[in-house]
């Protein structure tokens, strides 16, 4: 019976010592408070977001996954970037379509490099392949 009381008393002392050490009741903090992870936006503000920026993006973890506010913030930033790019692409496509339409009506070559000479245009020939004149008869 003495062994039982000795083991019980030892167990109570050990549990109390561990509890005080964890809680910090012993005067010195064994486990220090850790500040919660905060989302520091690594997405650049001065330039458009690139693939490397997305790959480097790390969202802080919460108790049950990711913090919804941080995920919403990152997604809204990426959505705004994509909307800007879509608007720019649409603007450039409409400008290109207008330039192509103008080139078709004026007969200019859009792919001609500056300084290139125009290709020699074939002379309008009224002759047939045998050298005789064709008049549609």
């Amino acid at each position: 019976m003495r062994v039982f009381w000795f083991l019980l008393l030892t167990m109570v002392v050990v549990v109390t010592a561990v509890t005080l050490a964890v809680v910090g009741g012993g005067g010195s903090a064994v486990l220090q408070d850790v500040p919660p992870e905060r989302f520091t936006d690594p997405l650049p503000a001065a330039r458009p977001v690139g693939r490397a920026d997305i790959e480097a993006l790390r969202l802080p973890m919460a108790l049950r996954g990711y913090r919804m506010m941080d995920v919403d913030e990152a997604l809204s930033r990426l959505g705004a970037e994509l909307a800007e790019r879509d608007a720019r692409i649409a603007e450039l496509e409409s400008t290109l379509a207008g330039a192509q339409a103008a080139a078709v009506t004026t007969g200019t070559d859009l792919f001609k490099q500056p300084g290139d000479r125009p290709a020699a245009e074939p002379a309008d020939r009224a002759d047939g392949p045998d050298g005789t004149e064709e008049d549609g008869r």
Side-chain angles (χ1 to χ4, degrees):
M1 189 65 149
R2 286 185 199 180
V3 175
F4 173 74
W5 289 109
F6 175 74
L7 288 176
L8 184 64
L9 182 64
T10 305
M11 188 173 70
V12 169
V13 169
V14 169
V15 169
T16 305
V18 169
T19 304
L20 288 176
V22 169
V23 174
S28 66
V30 176
L31 297 177
Q32 300 167 353
D33 290 335
V34 176
E37 280 187 275
R38 291 288 174 212
F39 179 59
T40 55
D41 190 7
L43 299 176
R47 64 176 173 80
V49 175
R51 179 183 177 132
D53 299 322
I54 301 300
E55 289 173 353
L57 181 65
R58 296 291 175 257
L59 299 170
M61 297 292 289
L63 183 62
R64 291 178 24 194
Y66 294 103
R67 294 173 189 248
M68 290 183 357
M69 184 175 63
D70 295 337
V71 173
D72 291 344
E73 188 177 316
L75 288 177
S76 67
R77 171 72 193 279
L78 292 174
E81 289 279 336
L82 287 174
E84 279 182 35
R85 288 183 184 179
D86 288 346
R88 180 70 176 145
I89 288 170
E91 176 187 338
L92 291 174
E93 285 177 343
S94 70
T95 302
L96 179 62
Q100 286 174 338
V104 167
T105 58
T106 61
T108 58
D109 185 11
L110 290 177
F111 300 105
K112 185 176 88 172
Q113 297 292 327
D116 283 351
R117 290 185 170 178
E121 296 180 17
D124 290 335
R125 297 185 64 180
D127 303 343
D130 58 354
T132 61
E133 202 172 299
E134 291 183 23
D135 57 21
R137 291 184 204 173

